[in-house]
Amino acid sequence: GQQLNQSPQSMFIQEGEDVSMNCTSSSIFNTWLWYKQDPGEGPVLLIALYKAGELTSNGRLTAQFGITRKDSFLNISASIPSDVGIYFCAGETSGSRLTFGEGTQLTVNP
Amino acid sequence: GAVVSQHPSWVICKSGTSVKIECRSLDFQATTMFWYRQFPKQSLMLMATSNEGSKATYEQGVEKDKFLINHASLTLSTLTVTSAHPEDSSFYICSAMVGGWYNEQFFGPGTRLTVL
């Protein structure tokens, strides 16, 4: 089946630093999504990407959909303690079915 | 808006019993609901797609007779784990899709199932 390879698996950074994480796939996706999940909660959508090459920002978050539709990155600028959590990329295929990456655990030290 | 709830938030049951988990869209009608399973420190895995009034579509490797899905209305879908065993212990998360051009999925808070 389809797989999304997400890296890094975990990151430990200082407050104020910028963060970058990415996902790659052997398959093409129609839509690429980035989610954040807090412990014991469901994921919350951060950014949705619909077009190849699209670059979209949401506050301190910026994400880009790769030209080949097989990869994406998420950047977080000037990290703050509440950015702590697990970040997932997800690719959408037919029927709005989502395939999730393995997740990036982000820890921000104050 | 676009709030999805799940009930219960956690449940502990004995091996061999059945457990029902509810997923509700509180302030919108959901054309489609999805059920995911997440093991500790792992990703979300799609189990099935549920459309109101029709049979659910299960992902490869998911036993439809073990994970019964009923989508009786546009605001409620239920997942019943039948004859639960310890290996079914997991975090079960539903999502509801608003529909329209963006087809965004809104996720519930999840249900932690522990089978003893």
PDB file of all heavy atoms in Angstrom, chain A residues 54-71:
ATOM      1  N   GLU A  54       2.453  24.395  -4.637  1.00  0.00           N
ATOM      2  CA  GLU A  54       1.780  25.387  -3.797  1.00  0.00           C
ATOM      3  C   GLU A  54       2.545  25.630  -2.495  1.00  0.00           C
ATOM      4  O   GLU A  54       2.991  24.694  -1.851  1.00  0.00           O
ATOM      5  CB  GLU A  54       0.361  24.908  -3.479  1.00  0.00           C
ATOM      6  CG  GLU A  54      -0.454  25.837  -2.588  1.00  0.00           C
ATOM      7  CD  GLU A  54      -1.851  25.309  -2.325  1.00  0.00           C
ATOM      8  OE1 GLU A  54      -2.221  24.275  -2.919  1.00  0.00           O
ATOM      9  OE2 GLU A  54      -2.563  25.913  -1.513  1.00  0.00           O
ATOM     10  N   LEU A  55       2.673  26.891  -2.138  1.00  0.00           N
ATOM     11  CA  LEU A  55       3.308  27.308  -0.890  1.00  0.00           C
ATOM     12  C   LEU A  55       2.251  28.062  -0.091  1.00  0.00           C
ATOM     13  O   LEU A  55       1.707  29.056  -0.568  1.00  0.00           O
ATOM     14  CB  LEU A  55       4.518  28.194  -1.158  1.00  0.00           C
ATOM     15  CG  LEU A  55       5.295  28.698   0.061  1.00  0.00           C
ATOM     16  CD1 LEU A  55       6.033  27.545   0.736  1.00  0.00           C
ATOM     17  CD2 LEU A  55       6.283  29.789  -0.356  1.00  0.00           C
ATOM     18  N   THR A  56       1.970  27.579   1.106  1.00  0.00           N
ATOM     19  CA  THR A  56       0.893  28.164   1.908  1.00  0.00           C
ATOM     20  C   THR A  56       1.374  28.438   3.325  1.00  0.00           C
ATOM     21  O   THR A  56       2.108  27.641   3.889  1.00  0.00           O
ATOM     22  CB  THR A  56      -0.318  27.203   1.956  1.00  0.00           C
ATOM     23  OG1 THR A  56      -0.832  27.024   0.639  1.00  0.00           O
ATOM     24  CG2 THR A  56      -1.429  27.771   2.824  1.00  0.00           C
ATOM     25  N   SER A  57       0.939  29.563   3.867  1.00  0.00           N
ATOM     26  CA  SER A  57       1.298  29.921   5.242  1.00  0.00           C
ATOM     27  C   SER A  57       0.060  30.021   6.108  1.00  0.00           C
ATOM     28  O   SER A  57      -1.022  30.367   5.639  1.00  0.00           O
ATOM     29  CB  SER A  57       2.050  31.255   5.263  1.00  0.00           C
ATOM     30  OG  SER A  57       3.300  31.127   4.630  1.00  0.00           O
ATOM     31  N   ASN A  58       0.270  29.712   7.393  1.00  0.00           N
ATOM     32  CA  ASN A  58      -0.776  29.859   8.396  1.00  0.00           C
ATOM     33  C   ASN A  58      -0.089  30.348   9.663  1.00  0.00           C
ATOM     34  O   ASN A  58       0.408  29.564  10.463  1.00  0.00           O
ATOM     35  CB  ASN A  58      -1.475  28.521   8.633  1.00  0.00           C
ATOM     36  CG  ASN A  58      -2.549  28.607   9.712  1.00  0.00           C
ATOM     37  OD1 ASN A  58      -2.876  29.700  10.165  1.00  0.00           O
ATOM     38  ND2 ASN A  58      -3.087  27.482  10.115  1.00  0.00           N
ATOM     39  N   GLY A  59      -0.019  31.670   9.809  1.00  0.00           N
ATOM     40  CA  GLY A  59       0.702  32.231  10.943  1.00  0.00           C
ATOM     41  C   GLY A  59       2.184  31.925  10.842  1.00  0.00           C
ATOM     42  O   GLY A  59       2.822  32.250   9.836  1.00  0.00           O
ATOM     43  N   ARG A  60       2.716  31.261  11.865  1.00  0.00           N
ATOM     44  CA  ARG A  60       4.146  30.924  11.855  1.00  0.00           C
ATOM     45  C   ARG A  60       4.450  29.648  11.083  1.00  0.00           C
ATOM     46  O   ARG A  60       5.594  29.218  10.997  1.00  0.00           O
ATOM     47  CB  ARG A  60       4.632  30.778  13.305  1.00  0.00           C
ATOM     48  CG  ARG A  60       4.595  32.076  14.110  1.00  0.00           C
ATOM     49  CD  ARG A  60       5.065  31.861  15.550  1.00  0.00           C
ATOM     50  NE  ARG A  60       4.156  30.992  16.289  1.00  0.00           N
ATOM     51  CZ  ARG A  60       4.432  29.741  16.616  1.00  0.00           C
ATOM     52  NH1 ARG A  60       5.588  29.198  16.291  1.00  0.00           N
ATOM     53  NH2 ARG A  60       3.558  29.028  17.292  1.00  0.00           N
ATOM     54  N   LEU A  61       3.432  29.034  10.528  1.00  0.00           N
ATOM     55  CA  LEU A  61       3.605  27.787   9.788  1.00  0.00           C
ATOM     56  C   LEU A  61       3.613  28.040   8.293  1.00  0.00           C
ATOM     57  O   LEU A  61       2.831  28.839   7.780  1.00  0.00           O
ATOM     58  CB  LEU A  61       2.454  26.819  10.105  1.00  0.00           C
ATOM     59  CG  LEU A  61       2.538  25.981  11.376  1.00  0.00           C
ATOM     60  CD1 LEU A  61       2.621  26.844  12.614  1.00  0.00           C
ATOM     61  CD2 LEU A  61       1.355  25.038  11.456  1.00  0.00           C
ATOM     62  N   THR A  62       4.513  27.360   7.608  1.00  0.00           N
ATOM     63  CA  THR A  62       4.582  27.425   6.151  1.00  0.00           C
ATOM     64  C   THR A  62       4.751  26.013   5.634  1.00  0.00           C
ATOM     65  O   THR A  62       5.554  25.237   6.164  1.00  0.00           O
ATOM     66  CB  THR A  62       5.766  28.279   5.677  1.00  0.00           C
ATOM     67  OG1 THR A  62       5.649  29.590   6.214  1.00  0.00           O
ATOM     68  CG2 THR A  62       5.797  28.356   4.153  1.00  0.00           C
ATOM     69  N   ALA A  63       4.004  25.660   4.598  1.00  0.00           N
ATOM     70  CA  ALA A  63       4.117  24.328   4.012  1.00  0.00           C
ATOM     71  C   ALA A  63       4.119  24.446   2.496  1.00  0.00           C
ATOM     72  O   ALA A  63       3.547  25.378   1.929  1.00  0.00           O
ATOM     73  CB  ALA A  63       2.965  23.439   4.466  1.00  0.00           C
ATOM     74  N   GLN A  64       4.784  23.501   1.857  1.00  0.00           N
ATOM     75  CA  GLN A  64       4.827  23.472   0.397  1.00  0.00           C
ATOM     76  C   GLN A  64       4.540  22.079  -0.111  1.00  0.00           C
ATOM     77  O   GLN A  64       5.000  21.091   0.464  1.00  0.00           O
ATOM     78  CB  GLN A  64       6.168  23.960  -0.140  1.00  0.00           C
ATOM     79  CG  GLN A  64       6.193  24.046  -1.678  1.00  0.00           C
ATOM     80  CD  GLN A  64       7.286  24.941  -2.212  1.00  0.00           C
ATOM     81  OE1 GLN A  64       8.341  25.099  -1.592  1.00  0.00           O
ATOM     82  NE2 GLN A  64       7.047  25.532  -3.370  1.00  0.00           N
ATOM     83  N   PHE A  65       3.809  22.025  -1.207  1.00  0.00           N
ATOM     84  CA  PHE A  65       3.468  20.794  -1.896  1.00  0.00           C
ATOM     85  C   PHE A  65       4.481  20.616  -3.018  1.00  0.00           C
ATOM     86  O   PHE A  65       4.637  21.499  -3.858  1.00  0.00           O
ATOM     87  CB  PHE A  65       2.062  20.935  -2.482  1.00  0.00           C
ATOM     88  CG  PHE A  65       1.370  19.656  -2.863  1.00  0.00           C
ATOM     89  CD1 PHE A  65       0.017  19.668  -3.151  1.00  0.00           C
ATOM     90  CD2 PHE A  65       2.038  18.452  -2.949  1.00  0.00           C
ATOM     91  CE1 PHE A  65      -0.660  18.511  -3.500  1.00  0.00           C
ATOM     92  CE2 PHE A  65       1.390  17.290  -3.302  1.00  0.00           C
ATOM     93  CZ  PHE A  65       0.015  17.321  -3.584  1.00  0.00           C
ATOM     94  N   GLY A  66       5.189  19.510  -3.052  1.00  0.00           N
ATOM     95  CA  GLY A  66       6.222  19.314  -4.057  1.00  0.00           C
ATOM     96  C   GLY A  66       5.676  19.292  -5.478  1.00  0.00           C
ATOM     97  O   GLY A  66       4.516  18.925  -5.712  1.00  0.00           O
ATOM     98  N   ILE A  67       6.517  19.681  -6.410  1.00  0.00           N
ATOM     99  CA  ILE A  67       6.135  19.737  -7.821  1.00  0.00           C
ATOM    100  C   ILE A  67       5.666  18.382  -8.336  1.00  0.00           C
ATOM    101  O   ILE A  67       4.740  18.286  -9.146  1.00  0.00           O
ATOM    102  CB  ILE A  67       7.320  20.231  -8.673  1.00  0.00           C
ATOM    103  CG1 ILE A  67       7.582  21.707  -8.389  1.00  0.00           C
ATOM    104  CG2 ILE A  67       7.029  20.041 -10.165  1.00  0.00           C
ATOM    105  CD1 ILE A  67       6.493  22.638  -8.867  1.00  0.00           C
ATOM    106  N   THR A  68       6.299  17.327  -7.853  1.00  0.00           N
ATOM    107  CA  THR A  68       5.959  15.977  -8.313  1.00  0.00           C
ATOM    108  C   THR A  68       4.741  15.401  -7.589  1.00  0.00           C
ATOM    109  O   THR A  68       4.297  14.305  -7.900  1.00  0.00           O
ATOM    110  CB  THR A  68       7.139  15.014  -8.097  1.00  0.00           C
ATOM    111  OG1 THR A  68       7.409  14.924  -6.691  1.00  0.00           O
ATOM    112  CG2 THR A  68       8.379  15.507  -8.833  1.00  0.00           C
ATOM    113  N   ARG A  69       4.220  16.132  -6.616  1.00  0.00           N
ATOM    114  CA  ARG A  69       3.092  15.667  -5.783  1.00  0.00           C
ATOM    115  C   ARG A  69       3.473  14.470  -4.924  1.00  0.00           C
ATOM    116  O   ARG A  69       2.598  13.738  -4.458  1.00  0.00           O
ATOM    117  CB  ARG A  69       1.870  15.305  -6.635  1.00  0.00           C
ATOM    118  CG  ARG A  69       1.190  16.483  -7.273  1.00  0.00           C
ATOM    119  CD  ARG A  69      -0.079  16.055  -8.005  1.00  0.00           C
ATOM    120  NE  ARG A  69      -0.851  17.207  -8.410  1.00  0.00           N
ATOM    121  CZ  ARG A  69      -1.791  17.760  -7.673  1.00  0.00           C
ATOM    122  NH1 ARG A  69      -2.084  17.265  -6.480  1.00  0.00           N
ATOM    123  NH2 ARG A  69      -2.458  18.810  -8.090  1.00  0.00           N
ATOM    124  N   LYS A  70       4.749  14.272  -4.703  1.00  0.00           N
ATOM    125  CA  LYS A  70       5.196  13.132  -3.896  1.00  0.00           C
ATOM    126  C   LYS A  70       5.912  13.562  -2.623  1.00  0.00           C
ATOM    127  O   LYS A  70       6.469  12.713  -1.913  1.00  0.00           O
ATOM    128  CB  LYS A  70       6.132  12.243  -4.718  1.00  0.00           C
ATOM    129  CG  LYS A  70       5.462  11.546  -5.894  1.00  0.00           C
ATOM    130  CD  LYS A  70       6.452  10.658  -6.610  1.00  0.00           C
ATOM    131  CE  LYS A  70       5.796   9.918  -7.752  1.00  0.00           C
ATOM    132  NZ  LYS A  70       6.761   9.019  -8.450  1.00  0.00           N
ATOM    133  N   ASP A  71       5.931  14.859  -2.350  1.00  0.00           N
ATOM    134  CA  ASP A  71       6.627  15.278  -1.136  1.00  0.00           C
ATOM    135  C   ASP A  71       6.095  16.622  -0.654  1.00  0.00           C
ATOM    136  O   ASP A  71       5.448  17.364  -1.405  1.00  0.00           O
ATOM    137  CB  ASP A  71       8.141  15.362  -1.383  1.00  0.00           C
ATOM    138  CG  ASP A  71       8.470  16.404  -2.436  1.00  0.00           C
ATOM    139  OD1 ASP A  71       8.193  16.168  -3.621  1.00  0.00           O
ATOM    140  OD2 ASP A  71       8.998  17.468  -2.053  1.00  0.00           O
TER     141      ASP A  71
END
